[in-house]
Amino acid sequence: MKNVLLCFCFALFLNIPQTISAQAIEDKNCTDRIEEKDGDELQFPYDNFFIQRSYPDYKDILPGLENAKRIARQQMNNYARGFNFDLQWQIEGPTDIGGRVDVVAVDPTDSNVIYTGTANGGIFKSIDAGVSWFSVVDTLSYFAVGDIKIDPTDHNTIYVGLGDPNISGYPAIGNGVLKSIDAGATWHNIGLYETRVISKIEIHPLNHNIVYAGAMGLPYAKNNQRGLYKSNNGGQTWSQVLFVNDSAGIIDVMLDNTDTNVVYAVSWNRIRQNLKGLIAGPDAKIWKSINGGASWTQLSNGLPTGSFSRIAIAKSSQNHNLLYAEYVDSATLDLQGIYKSTDAGASWTALDVSQLTSQQVQGGFGWYFGNLAVNPYNDSQIYVLGVDMWTTSDGLNWGMVGPAWWTYDLHADKHCLRFVDQNKWLVATDGGLFQSLNAGNTWTPINTMPNTQFYHVSYSVTHPGLYYGGAQDNGTTSGNISNINLWPRNYGGDGFQQRFHPTDPSIWYTETQNGAIAYTDNDGGSFQDATAGIDGNDIRNWDMPYILSSADPNTMYTGTNRIYQSTGSYIPNWRAISLVLTDATSTIDNTYRNISTIDECSLNTKLLYVGTSDGKVWRTTDQGLNWQNISSTLPNRYVTHVKASNVHNNVVFVSHSGYKDNDNIPHIHMSIDSGSTWTDISGDLPPFAVNHIELSHLNDSLIFVATDGGVYYTLNMGVNWQRLGTNMPLFTIYDITLDEPNKILAAATFARSIWSVSVDSILSSYSLSLVAGGNDTICLGQSVQLQASGAANYSWTPAGSLNCSNCANPIASPVNTTTYIVTGSNGAATATDTIVVTVNPIPVALLTKTGDTIFSSGGGTYQWYFNGSVINNATGSYYVPHLNGNYYVIITNGFGCSKYSNTIAVYFLGLENVIA
């Protein structure tokens, strides 16, 4: 039997009866009728993580992003600098737990050939019915896939629409439509670059040269690149045949398989900005054209009216007049209703969905799914895709398809249902691709593709060889390449950070969204809550930071909008040690003002640093008794990471990320005075946001950073940066970790699971051991000789108070406390070290006469002299002379700095003292 392939993965909206031309639709403007939803209502499935990172604004970031990708691609193709290493990343895994798959396409002539489009990881292909997978293109600049369509008349011709149509908190955009004419071996971009999110592609079965592409446009702002586009020549040229307005794109497209002139399209008001966005509106409508898109009629007559969120449409494969439509309510963001038409959309009747609405089948975020499917072998059987999947065959009684989501036997959040034949079905979920061979009764994963989206990666010294990761909607999991297809799930929810007891392998910590920290003391056998003492009313980051002290693993720190400390036990019991460290005076977006990063100086554990989502950086030098704001000269952006040096107790680094129009700057700064002053060390980094900083224990010159476009490193403290590895595509990386003893760096890709790379060549080449002399203390006016060794050439900064800036042992005469940085080089290797010269003040020493007594000014200790000799027992602040001669005093202050006073001559004439 010929395979019938249907995929229903997109959505629509509603209207009132009217007929309108394409030009008329383009001319009308309903901006004033848009219904807005506050950002804090849009929290699913992972909006919060990205909304928080967008502080202070969220506009068109394309100029900077395009430039960054161009630079990165040039660097990947041209390794010209002297400190490059031809390093290769390897995928550690997992390949078994999956990640979000948006769309599935099956070859109509060979059901063993399957293509999947992922949310951030690109396109995977299988030629053995899902047993194994491989990426078909790694040279993309954008890896979010909205739709895949195979030409029904030529299975080697494939169209791919880039961009994620589910448009979450930080929408993953694309740059148009790709086409392959050799089954994915090579690809060409065939246009619609500026549409940014292609939601649906349809190839007409009666004329494969007719191709339609639905575009949601750039999600960040209103724009005219939204709408429905048509090509009559296989994608060589495109024309916009439906434009609703600058806030409403086309989320779904459907063709009549008996008439090339009949087209259905669905519009949706959707803009995803910083703290406000459109998720519903009056332009959620279903449109129909009977002349190939020349004019359009809004369908109504039984459809609901008003404002709605996403709408889905589907049709029978047996009867082209039988249509279904699913509406998402604008208030609850759950299912509003399902409607049926038996006359090609001329009229509609509502099905009974009371069973579904009582179950909240879309979990309050129907805009994330909005998908409906019709069984091609039984067109009375329809399927609603949501958190779970539901079906009916009579429009009245509903039942769940497969097990409930929380069993993980069929992962939550269904996006696409594909019928391969009557019994073999495929469903795409947030946890990968699942297959049923018995018409949906039982399901098995076919997930051996590494497309899990990881927020964090870590390793434990007590569990050598394992990597632990926290993943979007896939909890906490662990493993490595040796068990790449079998990473056990350690904990559920959205997975974030793991922390490990340094000596007891049974004790470690994990976390889910909004700071739900848990601990295990039986190596993951069971978990207990670890948030006792944290005020439930505090504002928490979706990815709430927490750390274990390097001095005592029973001392821990975490942050809501203030800092908490736990001491005395591995079972946390928290107490606040700070006031609110965010901008508590703001009346806007306080929901997203929280602590985003914490670090402790391992060389001085009383010194803590804190960064916030609203651009603040704080320091405490006494474990939280007092706090200083040290962010005045730093960017007003979300603080992604603050990291104290492993080598010097006054050196600290900080990174920021902000999605703002033309913010092309990779924000990374260094301080050599614990944050009192800052220096930009972004150097020649491509303009990607910096998300994480990883430091070596060798020297502060060696720095690794995770960015929105991959991993970069520097050997000279940020003067020059190089992309790490030659084979990692332009993935977003939120976290990296350096296993220095084993010389391995691991990256949490938000695209294709956890990757690792050997950095042995970098660490080995970094063999220069620069040794600078110890810190010193002098009094104002003194000089000191600085000392360094181990290099062939030296460079000292600041140079102003030195007698030479390029010698090994310069003489320094600073007038203020100064941190001198020495950079040593020896061939290709470069290293730095620091010497702090503390300059203490000298006391004021001035003698004055009052009566017969000589008084001194200034504080400290005193030693009086007469004619150059010490006056025994004269150590007070004044002295009464008895002999003619010269008197002075030496005053020593609390810093040990001394000063000679002026001299007073004393002469006695008879009984009268004369003090000159």
Side-chain angles (χ1 to χ4, degrees), residues 63-261:
L65 186 59
E66 297 285 6
N67 188 38
K69 291 178 181 291
R70 178 184 57 79
I71 294 171
R73 294 219 62 81
Q74 288 176 348
Q75 289 185 344
M76 292 168 69
N77 295 328
N78 181 22
Y79 279 73
R81 297 196 185 105
F83 55 79
N84 292 325
F85 300 91
D86 187 16
L87 304 178
Q88 295 288 307
W89 292 89
Q90 72 176 12
I91 300 175
E92 295 288 344
T95 61
D96 62 321
I97 68 170
R100 177 148 64 95
V101 176
D102 278 338
V103 65
V104 186
V106 182
D107 190 320
T109 63
D110 183 356
S111 62
N112 289 314
V113 177
I114 309 172
Y115 299 86
T116 61
T118 67
N120 291 87
I123 309 161
F124 286 90
K125 180 179 180 179
S126 175
I127 58 175
D128 52 16
V131 175
S132 60
W133 298 86
F134 55 93
S135 170
V136 296
V137 57
D138 280 348
T139 58
L140 296 174
S141 292
Y142 298 90
F143 286 86
V145 179
D147 199 14
I148 302 174
K149 283 295 185 297
I150 301 172
D151 189 326
T153 63
D154 178 6
H155 69 277
N156 289 314
T157 298
I158 306 166
Y159 294 86
V160 170
L162 296 176
D164 180 10
N166 297 311
I167 306 179
S168 298
Y170 177 43
I173 61 174
N175 63 341
V177 178
L178 302 179
K179 183 177 181 179
S180 173
I181 57 174
D182 51 16
T186 59
W187 296 88
H188 302 281
N189 191 306
I190 58 172
L192 302 183
Y193 315 112
E194 302 303 319
T195 58
R196 295 305 171 187
V197 174
I198 299 293
S199 60
K200 194 72 174 288
I201 293 175
E202 287 294 339
I203 308 167
H204 208 289
L206 302 180
N207 182 350
H208 71 276
N209 287 315
I210 299 176
V211 183
Y212 291 90
M216 288 300 297
L218 181 69
Y220 315 126
K222 296 178 180 181
N223 55 89
N224 294 332
Q225 286 73 43
R226 302 167 181 261
L228 181 65
Y229 292 82
K230 179 181 180 181
S231 174
N232 290 312
N233 51 19
Q236 295 180 47
T237 59
W238 297 90
S239 58
Q240 188 184 48
V241 295
L242 175 60
F243 174 71
V244 178
N245 61 46
D246 57 8
S247 72
I250 298 300
I251 190 62
D252 205 358
V253 185
M254 191 168 67
L255 305 181
D256 189 314
N257 56 8
T258 67
D259 188 341
T260 58
N261 290 311

Side-chain angles (χ1 to χ4, degrees), residues 534-546:
I534 300 176
D535 192 328
N537 295 316
D538 284 4
I539 300 171
R540 305 187 190 192
N541 197 292
W542 190 250
D543 178 12
M544 189 176 83
Y546 69 102

Side-chain angles (χ1 to χ4, degrees), residues 289-515:
S289 174
I290 59 173
N291 52 17
S295 62
W296 295 85
T297 299
Q298 174 197 322
L299 300 185
S300 56
N301 195 13
L303 292 175
T305 59
S307 293
F308 293 93
S309 188
R310 189 169 175 171
I311 303 172
I313 55 172
K315 67 179 178 64
S316 166
S317 297
Q318 301 155 340
N319 177 3
H320 68 102
N321 291 316
L322 179 58
L323 312 178
Y324 294 91
E326 172 193 291
Y327 281 72
V328 174
D329 186 79
S330 63
T332 65
L333 298 180
D334 217 296
L335 179 67
Q336 184 275 336
I338 296 176
Y339 301 85
K340 177 180 179 180
S341 173
T342 58
D343 51 14
S347 62
W348 300 80
T349 57
L351 303 185
D352 186 342
V353 295
S354 56
Q355 281 184 275
L356 299 183
T357 55
S358 66
Q359 296 285 334
Q360 294 184 314
V361 294
Q362 291 174 331
F365 51 108
W367 55 269
Y368 185 59
F369 319 105
N371 298 322
L372 186 67
V374 180
N375 189 329
Y377 306 99
N378 179 2
D379 58 17
S380 65
Q381 191 165 33
I382 63 174
Y383 297 83
V384 173
L385 279 67
V387 179
D388 287 308
M389 186 161 53
W390 295 75
T391 186
T392 184
S393 58
D394 59 10
L396 177 63
N397 297 292
W398 295 84
M400 189 185 297
V401 180
W405 70 267
W406 47 265
T407 66
Y408 287 103
D409 293 330
L410 179 58
H411 200 280
D413 304 348
K414 284 71 174 175
H415 296 283
C416 178
L417 176 60
R418 179 76 71 179
F419 300 90
V420 180
D421 57 36
Q422 292 189 59
N423 293 306
K424 183 176 180 179
W425 302 354
L426 302 175
V427 64
T429 77
D430 269 18
L433 189 63
F434 287 77
Q435 174 180 263
S436 175
L437 298 178
N438 52 17
N441 290 314
T442 59
W443 295 85
T444 56
I446 49 174
N447 274 342
T448 56
M449 63 185 87
N451 71 309
T452 308
Q453 296 167 288
F454 277 96
Y455 295 110
H456 285 283
V457 60
S458 57
Y459 76 95
S460 168
V461 294
T462 60
H463 297 73
L466 290 181
Y467 296 98
Y468 290 76
Q472 189 275 318
D473 209 22
N474 281 281
T476 302
T477 185
S478 58
N480 57 30
I481 194 171
S482 66
N483 61 338
I484 192 170
N485 292 322
L486 189 61
W487 281 46
R489 188 186 306 276
N490 307 123
Y491 206 66
D494 265 26
F496 286 103
Q497 305 177 49
Q498 293 83 53
R499 303 292 183 210
F500 300 90
H501 193 286
T503 59
D504 188 338
S506 67
I507 299 173
W508 51 281
Y509 305 82
T510 190
E511 180 187 28
T512 62
Q513 59 265 37
N514 280 322

